[in-house]
Amino acid sequence: MENPEAPTRTPKKKRSTSMACDNCRRRKIRCNRERPCGRCVDVNLACAYTSIPRRKGPKGSSAHVLNFLRGLGTPPQHQNLFASAVAATTTTTTTTTNPASAPVLHSSNLENPGSSSPTPSLAFSQSSHSSTDHSILSLATSARGDVKRRISSTVLGAHVGLFLQHLYPIMPVIDSKLAADCSDPEALHPQRYAYIVALSAATHLQLNLDIGEYESAGDNLISGQDLINEAVRAVCEYDALEHPHIDTLLTMFFLFCAYGNLNKSDYAWHYLSQTISFLQILKLDREEVYVGFCPTEVEVRRRVFWLVFVTERAYALQTGRPVILRPTIRRPSVLNSEVPALLYGFVSLIAVFEQMVPEFYNWNINIACDSQECSTINSMYKSLSNPPALLDEVPETHQVDIIISQQWLRVSLWNYLAKRYPFHPRDLTTTKPLVPVQIPWIAGRIALACLSSASLPSVDAHGIGMEQKLYDIGESITQLVPHLSKASPSTANSTIPSSADIRDLLKSILNVLSRTRGCQSYLFSTLLKKSQDLLQASHIPAPLPTSTEQFDNIECSRSDVAAEEQQQQQQHTDAEAPEWAYLPEAELI
């Protein structure tokens, strides 16, 4: 009786060793059953054999209990919540998890940001497998042992599609494999998964996809903050400093973008500082490091460096901080890129922010000033007064970014001089002001001419940053009248705006802020309060209706506006006309 027992035990051992590893089972591919298996080694996954094979045939009453213990539970339902929230920006289409239908980078899509794009259906990953490998098992678990599922491929793929459609022109840094990696989130290394989720969070919040009421959407709704939390949690699953990677750098950058669009400046600066730290750890600021990489990798890394460079220059100026990075490497290649027009716009934006010398940031926060301050500011102003060449050849999204940023930087120089020197210092050689007194009005006209001729998606793609720059220009216009009254007679031959000119310009800026990214900007009420004296509208309660028509009707019905001022307003309504071109300063002064 002992002989029959031996062969019955041997197959049990063989069945246990013949089982595929958890990752190969989940990916439905052949496994060589090594420890670790070849498939996991190829994609740098932690190989584990923790899966319990499902018994064929009908399941007993204990199946639901086992499913609960394995952390499956009932998968949340998909919900399409963006259909009505972003109808002006995206068109609802069906999305699949098939890699063949994932968003693909194409020049025709990049140069038409107003075209339709997939609308994400938000849900968590619904894996049919109960197994978990080391990378998945390290996901956040509750005291009951429930494993938190990763965000589904549908959600991640849709957000990557939105990024390619609207944000890639201003952030051309993602690699070609990103869309394909969205097809199976459960098989991704936490480093890669965190990167994709952080990109999704930045896309979600920069395009303001959280518009609408959340109370009626149910518990399965995923907001921008939820995506941030998931990305931060995924970052905690691996040691980012043990093996520094550019994916981690971009994860920190996109978390900065996400928090910046939530107007959480401390969080945003923290992640921007982390981005710069990883950039320096990877030595992307050293030209000699680029020698050992292939041409494609070199270009991606150059773009990453310069994107962080421009971002730091802009955000440090907004928040009153010094800058760290210096232009120490060559710019990205334009002619050898897959989209030369797009890269030319990106390089043109780099050239604009390169004009802002690091010393100015120290002066702006009252660290120290030197004898070269006035000459340096005058040099920066002259450089910023020249529009980039061939601006009409770049995508519209870049045109908006370049023009608005250029005018915002000019106004920043004006604000610095207005605070530090109430009477505006003059050039010792020409006796003219270093910066014309009426610069806020000129910059506002140029900015509105640009915005009035641009499509809404091209403007909204810049997120909260566009609102903040436009607000800074508007705020400087509210401070313009006292400075004009102090202007010397030498400026009499220049174009000095009247009170009607200033009122019309503020009205137009408020109209833009009342309908930015599908809703009223959080800065609208603040600028309205600062503009009430100039608008003679102190009796108008805030908040003002977001409809442009209602705003115009209120303005036209003001009884305290004199008849002669209304005639002057008719002469200056061109401030809102879309036919305006980007006029050089010589034609305005």
Side-chain angles (χ1 to χ4, degrees):
M1 298 295 294
E2 294 181 357
N3 292 333
E5 293 181 0
T8 58
R9 293 179 183 176
T10 303
K12 291 184 178 180
K13 288 185 178 181
K14 289 183 178 180
R15 281 196 298 267
S16 62
T17 57
S18 63
M19 182 180 65
C21 75
D22 298 343
N23 291 332
C24 292
R25 285 171 56 84
R26 188 174 288 108
R27 298 168 66 189
K28 297 182 179 180
I29 58 178
R30 185 179 297 277
C31 178
N32 63 7
R33 301 175 180 85
E34 299 292 336
R35 295 181 181 269
C37 75
R39 298 283 189 173
C40 291
V41 172
D42 291 341
V43 295
N44 195 24
L45 289 178
C47 186
Y49 291 82
T50 61
S51 176
I52 302 175
R54 287 196 244 176
R55 188 177 61 184
K56 296 182 179 180
K59 288 151 178 91
S61 59
S62 63
H64 298 290
V65 178
L66 290 176
N67 286 339
F68 175 78
L69 293 176
R70 293 168 187 169
L72 292 179
T74 303
Q77 299 176 352
H78 289 269
Q79 294 194 17
N80 185 355
L81 87 129
F82 294 149
S84 60
V86 289
T89 309
T90 60
T91 302
T92 304
T93 58
T94 303
T95 59
T96 66
T97 58
N98 187 353
S101 63
V104 178
L105 180 60
H106 194 274
S107 59
S108 61
N109 293 333
L110 298 177
E111 297 179 4
N112 185 17
S115 60
S116 61
S117 55
T119 299
S121 174
L122 300 187
F124 284 102
S125 176
Q126 301 185 34
S127 175
S128 61
H129 302 285
S130 61
S131 60
T132 54
D133 57 30
H134 176 72
S135 61
I136 308 304
L137 192 60
S138 60
L139 298 178
T141 57
S142 65
R144 294 183 179 181
D146 297 337
V147 179
K148 182 177 178 61
R149 287 178 299 275
R150 290 183 170 183
I151 297 176
S152 71
S153 59
T154 303
V155 175
L156 298 180
H159 279 95
V160 170
L162 289 172
F163 179 91
L164 293 173
Q165 199 76 9
H166 298 282
L167 303 186
Y168 184 84
I170 57 177
M171 304 178 191
V173 293
I174 67 172
D175 58 81
S176 58
K177 299 179 181 179
L178 192 67
D181 287 343
C182 295
S183 62
D184 192 2
E186 298 289 351
L188 295 176
H189 188 278
Q191 176 179 272
R192 188 69 168 174
Y193 174 72
Y195 165 40
I196 297 177
V197 177
L199 179 145
S200 300
T203 303
H204 195 101
L205 292 167
Q206 183 133 336
L207 298 179
N208 203 21
L209 302 183
D210 279 341
I211 302 175
E213 297 294 333
Y214 288 89
E215 291 77 6
S216 60
D219 296 333
N220 294 327
L221 177 66
I222 297 180
S223 66
Q225 184 63 57
D226 294 332
L227 290 169
I228 290 177
N229 296 339
E230 176 70 1
V232 172
R233 184 191 60 76
V235 170
C236 297
E237 296 179 13
Y238 68 98
D239 191 342
L241 294 175
E242 183 69 22
H243 300 287
H245 195 273
I246 198 168
D247 283 357
T248 302
L249 186 157
L250 290 173
T251 298
M252 300 302 167
F253 176 79
F254 286 124
L255 286 174
F256 153 76
C257 296
Y259 275 116
N261 280 283
L262 289 176
N263 196 29
K264 294 184 177 181
S265 59
D266 291 337
Y267 285 87
W269 185 257
H270 166 75
Y271 283 105
L272 182 58
S273 300
Q274 293 292 309
T275 304
I276 296 173
S277 296
F278 277 100
L279 184 148
Q280 293 175 325
I281 291 173
L282 294 171
K283 301 179 181 180
L284 298 187
D285 55 343
R286 301 183 184 181
E287 182 64 37
E288 63 272 13
V289 176
Y290 291 81
V291 177
F293 295 99
C294 66
T296 302
E297 184 69 16
V298 166
E299 287 305 308
V300 170
R301 289 173 177 259
R302 289 192 190 279
R303 296 180 193 181
V304 169
F305 171 84
W306 285 107
L307 177 62
V308 179
F309 174 89
V310 169
T311 303
E312 185 201 23
R313 291 290 168 103
Y315 202 67
L317 189 58
Q318 285 182 324
T319 57
R321 292 180 171 93
V323 294
I324 298 175
L325 297 178
R326 301 291 187 269
T328 54
I329 68 169
R330 295 200 303 267
R331 298 176 185 175
S333 174
V334 174
L335 298 179
N336 295 329
S337 66
E338 69 279 7
V339 276
L342 187 151
L343 260 294
Y344 178 74
F346 183 60
V347 170
S348 299
L349 182 66
I350 294 171
V352 169
F353 279 92
E354 273 190 303
Q355 307 305 322
M356 304 300 292
V357 298
E359 291 77 12
F360 175 73
Y361 290 83
N362 296 334
W363 303 336
N364 192 44
I365 56 179
N366 297 322
I367 290 181
C369 296
D370 53 39
S371 58
Q372 302 298 322
E373 176 190 12
C374 292
S375 60
T376 301
I377 291 177
N378 189 23
S379 177
M380 286 191 295
Y381 170 74
K382 290 180 179 178
S383 300
L384 292 170
S385 299
N386 300 319
L390 302 176
L391 190 60
D392 293 337
E393 302 299 325
V394 305
E396 188 180 65
T397 305
H398 268 304
Q399 292 184 28
V400 173
D401 199 5
I402 293 170
I403 294 174
I404 301 301
S405 296
Q406 199 170 25
Q407 302 312 312
W408 173 67
L409 291 175
R410 297 172 74 197
V411 168
S412 298
L413 294 177
W414 184 92
N415 284 329
Y416 170 77
L417 292 175
K419 294 176 182 178
R420 190 168 181 83
Y421 305 100
F423 294 97
H424 284 264
R426 298 178 175 274
D427 191 336
L428 298 178
T429 58
T430 62
T431 69
K432 293 182 179 180
L434 292 178
V435 175
V437 179
Q438 64 271 32
I439 274 298
W441 179 69
I442 298 173
R445 288 182 59 195
I446 296 175
L448 285 177
C450 171
L451 296 177
S452 63
S453 61
S455 64
L456 197 58
S458 297
V459 178
D460 291 346
H462 300 284
I464 197 174
M466 183 61 62
E467 303 173 29
Q468 293 168 341
K469 291 175 182 177
L470 193 59
Y471 169 83
D472 289 343
I473 295 174
E475 185 185 30
S476 66
I477 293 173
T478 63
Q479 305 170 4
L480 184 58
V481 174
H483 292 276
L484 291 176
S485 63
K486 300 176 184 178
S488 63
S490 62
T491 59
N493 57 351
S494 302
T495 304
I496 301 297
S498 65
S499 58
D501 296 333
I502 298 174
R503 182 165 49 251
D504 288 343
L505 196 56
L506 279 174
K507 171 185 170 182
S508 299
I509 293 176
L510 285 168
N511 281 337
V512 175
L513 290 177
S514 70
R515 50 185 171 82
T516 180
R517 294 194 295 163
C519 64
Q520 186 181 96
S521 171
Y522 78 102
L523 294 168
F524 174 84
S525 300
T526 304
L527 184 59
L528 178 62
K529 291 178 181 179
K530 294 185 177 183
S531 308
Q532 283 181 348
D533 292 339
L534 290 172
L535 295 176
Q536 302 176 359
S538 58
H539 63 284
I540 299 297
L544 202 65
T546 58
S547 171
T548 304
E549 292 76 16
Q550 291 177 344
F551 189 87
D552 291 339
N553 292 337
I554 293 174
E555 287 293 326
C556 294
S557 62
R558 301 269 167 78
S559 59
D560 53 357
V561 178
E564 60 271 18
E565 291 183 351
Q566 291 181 356
Q567 295 177 357
Q568 294 178 359
Q569 289 177 359
Q570 183 64 29
Q571 298 175 0
H572 298 285
T573 52
D574 291 339
E576 301 178 35
E579 296 83 22
W580 275 17
Y582 180 36
L583 302 177
E585 182 186 344
E587 300 181 23
L588 296 173
I589 300 180

